[in-house]
Amino acid sequence: MTDNNKTYNSGENTPVGNDKAVNAAIENILTRTSVRRYQTDDRVSKKDLDTILHAAMAAPTGVNKRPWHFVAVTDRGLLKKLASTLPYCHMAAEAPLAIVVCGDRNRFLDGDDATLWVQDLGAASENILLAANALGLGGVWTAVYPHADRMQAVSDDLSLADNLVPFNVIPIGHPLVPPHARDKWEPDRVTYL
């Protein structure tokens, strides 16, 4: 069993090939970790924000519905409000940016596929975190959906349109200390057939 307290070190037990681009992509995935403390004086540039949002919108999506809407919050008052409203989002008070990932009900599928938007937003959220990591930033996924009280609080705090369903809040910033990702590889959780 893998020791989950072990930190990931580049090149150590990493199943990658010889291609530098592939190695960089895999390393970005393996070094991504939740970052909850930020350098409060360093803002996230508009260029980096746009890159992160482009990455979010590159996520896979059922029937190409793209049922997402992103709210980029940089207003200090709103960040503090989110931090005080949500039980696990205290770090937003110090973050220079939070991206609120929302589902757009107008773009949801029907019938058996009605809940696929959750998968789509999950993929977009992971792309946000990976893009932030690739840019030398850090972020953390704080859950909103499916908690009705949290969803209502975020909707109220940000005056969201009725068609938007808050899915999560991702505070992002320059890490206060260098992040160290844990090696989460557990071969006993894999079945090869």
Side-chain angles (χ1 to χ4, degrees), residues 27-175:
E27 180 147 346
N28 186 52
I29 293 167
L30 295 176
T31 60
R32 190 223 53 85
T33 189
S34 295
V35 174
R36 294 176 176 85
R37 295 175 55 209
Y38 312 101
Q39 298 174 24
T40 55
D41 295 338
D42 287 344
R43 302 198 62 76
V44 175
S45 72
K46 177 75 164 71
K47 180 181 177 188
D48 284 350
L49 173 57
D50 287 346
T51 298
I52 291 167
L53 293 173
H54 273 84
M57 293 184 199
T61 171
V63 196
N64 198 32
K65 289 299 278 187
R66 294 173 279 165
W68 44 61
H69 184 90
F70 304 96
V71 180
V73 181
T74 57
D75 179 89
R76 179 65 41 215
L78 290 175
L79 289 165
K80 288 183 177 183
K81 191 177 248 191
L82 289 169
S84 66
T85 300
L86 299 172
Y88 303 104
C89 195
H90 63 277
M91 71 289 298
E94 302 301 322
L97 165 69
I99 297 175
V100 181
V101 179
C102 299
D104 183 346
R105 284 187 177 99
N106 297 332
R107 300 180 74 91
F108 290 0
L109 293 166
D110 297 319
D112 290 342
D113 296 328
T115 59
L116 287 181
W117 69 273
V118 173
Q119 295 177 41
D120 294 348
L121 270 61
S125 297
E126 180 65 5
N127 279 8
I128 288 170
L129 294 167
L130 289 172
N133 188 54
L135 294 168
L137 300 167
V140 61
W141 178 325
T142 65
V144 175
Y145 179 87
H147 304 278
D149 59 332
R150 296 181 200 176
M151 293 163 54
Q152 189 61 57
V154 172
S155 291
D156 292 346
D157 287 351
L158 303 179
S159 302
L160 295 179
D162 290 340
N163 62 302
L164 297 181
V165 180
F167 180 69
N168 63 32
V169 175
I170 303 177
I172 296 173
H174 298 270

Side-chain angles (χ1 to χ4, degrees), residues 3-16 23 26-32 179-184:
D3 177 3
N4 282 338
N5 292 321
K6 178 183 168 195
T7 58
Y8 170 80
N9 294 314
S10 176
E12 180 183 312
N13 298 321
T14 309
V16 296
N23 286 345
I26 297 297
E27 180 147 346
N28 186 52
I29 293 167
L30 295 176
T31 60
R32 190 223 53 85
H180 296 284
R182 283 183 271 173
D183 182 356
K184 297 179 182 179

